[in-house]
Amino acid sequence: MRVEAIELRQIAIPLLFPFETSFGREEVKTCLLVRAYADGLTGWGEVPASAAPLYNEETVGTAWHVLESFIVPRVLGWTFHHPSEFPSLVKDIRRHHMAKAGVEAALWDLFCQAEGIPLSRALGGVQKEIAVGVSLGIEGTVDRLLRRIEDFLVKGYRRIKVKIKPGWDVEVVRAIRRAFGEILLQVDANSAYTLEDAPIFEALDAFNLLLIEQPLAEDDLVDHAKLQARLSTPICLDESIVHPEDARKAIELGSCRVINIKQARLGGLSAALRTHDICRERNVPVWCGGLLETGVGRAANIALASLPNFRLPADLSASDRYFEEDIIEPPVRLNPDGTITVPTAPGLGFQIVEERVEKYTTRREVFRL
Ligand code: OSB
Ligand code: MG
């Protein structure tokens, strides 16, 4: 297939509920969409960078710049037989993983449409339904958080993840256990602690959590290994794993026992597949994380999460957990048993609703040969 044009859009969609983590608060979901044109087809991908560089170093502004100046010029006129050829085209461009991942996803969508197969099949997926949970931000009060958890449990979500930060951790988890008993529960610190806070994690160890996500600094596999040695709860790394080889190193060092795979953080679906395989060979379970993606990014994540080593419930919730109105049809829906069904239609398996994309667009440009 030969890429004839690339459209970039920045969009801003109001979130139904503000999302607060140890690093900040989001009320509007801002990201980029990539649309690639080839052989009469169009493929879509999402760059789930935010307005500010708080989760990682990228923003919608840096992603736009790197795409416009460095990545798009290489992709225009480029011919590919398989989307897994894309990473080598941009290998010398350091980092900017989310920017790369958005283009790669659009190429996978194009490829799958041309082949008439669903993305999950092209990736090697085997699961027809994905068990999913919900990730809840830091709420103003514990009572508010408990009410929100109850709402999601009633809807059927299989697992609850709550964000923690210093001062909002052990007592919050204790209150959740007291209110809801032995539900599947995990916490995510987004690197808000240091090894000196080990006693907090030793206290959390008593609550039978599924895992503790990214307690320490993103670039510190050594202290994570020291902390993991003191805990029976598995540590799961998110921000620390930006390359498939990071997963191997973290596992070898004992820095974690579970890995959160986000294809955008890793630089694309190919890197995510490699990370999945590295973990699978070492019998380390993975699960699919999220970045509050729109339906475009979520569709790619759902397909990825159908691979066999995705063994813990995913941070993939229904469209109505995030938005009043998603930009895909049908919206992502939660089955009564707490799963999401992997689509079987070609490509992403959802229709992108162009009028809605247009409505939420704040910046747009088409790059042609
Ligand atoms: O650390 O997993 C995270 C959202 C934005 C940035 C970082 C994270 C998250 C989530 C939300 O936890 C997961 C979702 O998309 O539902
Ligand atoms: Mg996380």
Side-chain angles (χ1 to χ4, degrees):
M1 306 185 86
R2 183 162 183 266
V3 182
E4 291 136 16
I6 296 275
E7 178 184 77
L8 291 185
R9 284 176 186 263
Q10 183 171 320
I11 61 167
I13 312 185
L15 286 168
L16 269 179
F17 305 95
F19 191 73
E20 187 173 328
T21 63
S22 61
F23 60 76
R25 182 180 165 93
E26 273 184 288
E27 296 189 8
V28 175
K29 159 78 189 174
T30 304
C31 67
L32 302 185
L33 297 179
V34 178
R35 187 179 193 178
Y37 294 78
D39 304 356
L41 299 168
T42 91
W44 291 83
E46 177 166 336
V47 177
S50 308
L54 303 179
Y55 165 74
N56 74 354
E57 71 283 4
E58 293 182 83
T59 71
V60 284
T62 68
W64 189 289
H65 165 65
V66 168
L67 285 163
E68 173 176 41
S69 304
F70 304 104
I71 297 176
V72 170
R74 292 191 193 180
V75 178
L76 285 178
W78 182 63
T79 300
F80 67 99
H81 303 285
H82 193 272
S84 61
E85 294 156 20
F86 173 73
S88 56
L89 184 71
V90 293
K91 195 172 189 282
D92 58 323
I93 299 172
R94 290 185 195 271
R95 302 261 181 176
H96 299 286
H97 285 180
M98 291 178 175
K100 292 173 183 171
V103 174
E104 194 186 319
L107 301 180
W108 279 93
D109 185 19
L110 276 174
F111 170 80
C112 291
Q113 289 180 49
E115 297 285 311
I117 59 171
L119 178 58
S120 59
R121 191 184 315 158
L123 294 170
V126 293
Q127 308 186 62
K128 294 189 168 63
E129 260 111 34
I130 313 297
V132 301
V134 68
S135 171
L136 288 169
I138 292 161
E139 298 285 342
T141 65
V142 173
D143 277 347
R144 248 187 83 98
L145 177 64
L146 295 180
R147 279 200 298 276
R148 295 214 62 207
I149 291 174
E150 174 151 34
D151 289 347
F152 287 112
L153 290 173
V154 166
K155 287 195 163 88
Y157 284 99
R158 288 223 185 155
R159 174 279 272 154
I160 299 293
K161 158 171 151 183
V162 292
K163 296 288 183 178
I164 57 168
K165 66 175 181 182
W168 179 271
D169 43 40
V170 180
E171 291 317 311
V172 174
V173 170
R174 191 190 311 282
I176 297 170
R177 278 284 182 241
R178 198 180 298 132
F180 303 109
E182 286 302 305
I183 58 168
L184 298 183
L185 181 64
Q186 64 194 51
V187 295
D188 186 359
N190 290 107
S191 76
Y193 297 85
T194 70
L195 193 55
E196 286 179 13
D197 298 313
I200 293 173
F201 295 101
E202 286 166 340
L204 286 174
D205 222 8
F207 291 99
N208 192 32
L209 300 174
L210 278 174
L211 55 88
I212 296 171
E213 188 175 341
Q214 197 68 42
L216 310 180
E218 62 176 47
D219 58 354
D220 197 346
L221 294 184
V222 172
D223 279 359
H224 275 108
K226 289 184 183 163
L227 182 60
Q228 180 67 90
R230 293 169 66 167
L231 303 177
S232 52
T233 308
I235 289 178
C236 166
L237 292 177
D238 173 355
E239 285 91 328
S240 291
I241 310 299
V242 298
H243 190 282
E245 284 297 301
D246 293 338
R248 177 184 63 74
K249 292 171 191 171
I251 294 165
E252 284 180 11
L253 280 171
S255 312
C256 65
R257 295 188 195 137
V258 175
I259 284 179
N260 167 326
I261 291 189
K262 293 180 183 171
Q263 48 92 13
R265 185 196 69 222
L266 284 154
L269 286 164
S270 298
L273 291 179
R274 181 81 200 105
T275 308
H276 167 273
D277 293 350
I278 283 173
C279 294
R280 191 184 193 197
E281 285 156 14
R282 290 161 178 78
N283 197 25
V284 169
V286 305
W287 57 285
C288 186
L291 291 163
L292 310 176
E293 284 90 346
T294 72
V296 170
R298 189 173 316 284
N301 291 346
I302 291 170
L304 179 65
S306 70
L307 269 82
N309 196 39
F310 282 84
R311 292 195 255 151
L312 290 163
D315 268 354
L316 291 171
S317 310
S319 296
D320 67 6
R321 180 261 175 274
Y322 306 96
F323 313 109
E324 180 77 45
E325 159 183 271
D326 205 338
I327 55 174
I328 55 166
E329 280 293 337
V332 176
R333 291 201 183 89
L334 185 73
N335 298 322
D337 66 349
T339 62
I340 285 176
T341 302
V342 180
T344 51
L348 295 179
F350 294 89
Q351 254 0 86
I352 284 71
V353 185
E354 290 187 39
E355 308 87 76
R356 292 188 204 153
V357 172
E358 182 62 28
K359 180 165 101 185
Y360 297 117
T361 295
T362 55
R363 183 180 183 189
R364 171 178 179 269
E365 199 159 335
V366 181
F367 303 91
R368 287 195 183 78
L369 273 173

